[in-house]
């Protein structure tokens, strides 16, 4: 098993991962084999973060979520 397979077939949801520290964490998780769910409060940040990861050949999926809003989390 390589470090790229440590999280194979796993999904990692990282809140606030459209940029900054959250995006760096999501990249590390994707590099370890997980599909990174990039969540941010704006579609722009979520999409651009996911694109950075997928452009490098890794798996990522963008979604909008505001963790301070229960209805947003449930959605």
């Amino acid at each position: 098993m390589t470090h790229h397979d440590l999280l194979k077939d796993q999904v990692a949801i990282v809140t606030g991962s459209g940029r900054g520290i959250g995006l760096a964490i999501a990249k590390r998780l994707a590099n370890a084999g997980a599909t990174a769910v990039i969540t941010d409060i704006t579609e722009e940040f979520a999409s651009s973060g996911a694109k950075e990861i997928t452009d490098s050949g890794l798996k990522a999926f963008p979604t909008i979520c505001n963790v301070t809003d229960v209805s947003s989390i449930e959605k």
Side-chain angles (χ1 to χ4, degrees):
M1 177 182 295
T2 68
H3 71 281
H4 294 289
D5 295 328
L6 290 174
L7 297 176
K8 184 179 178 186
D9 299 324
Q10 300 297 309
V11 175
I13 301 170
V14 184
T15 60
S17 56
R19 57 194 169 140
I21 294 170
L23 180 56
I25 292 168
K27 287 178 179 179
R28 292 290 302 260
L29 292 166
N31 195 47
T35 298
V37 178
I38 307 302
T39 66
D40 210 289
I41 59 173
T42 69
E43 182 178 355
E44 176 187 357
F45 290 138
S47 294
S48 66
K51 185 174 180 340
E52 267 191 58
I53 293 171
T54 59
D55 282 353
S56 65
L58 301 171
K59 298 177 190 173
F61 177 82
T63 188
I64 301 167
C65 184
N66 180 347
V67 296
T68 66
D69 179 3
V70 174
S71 65
S72 179
I73 295 167
E74 290 172 344
K75 184 178 172 184

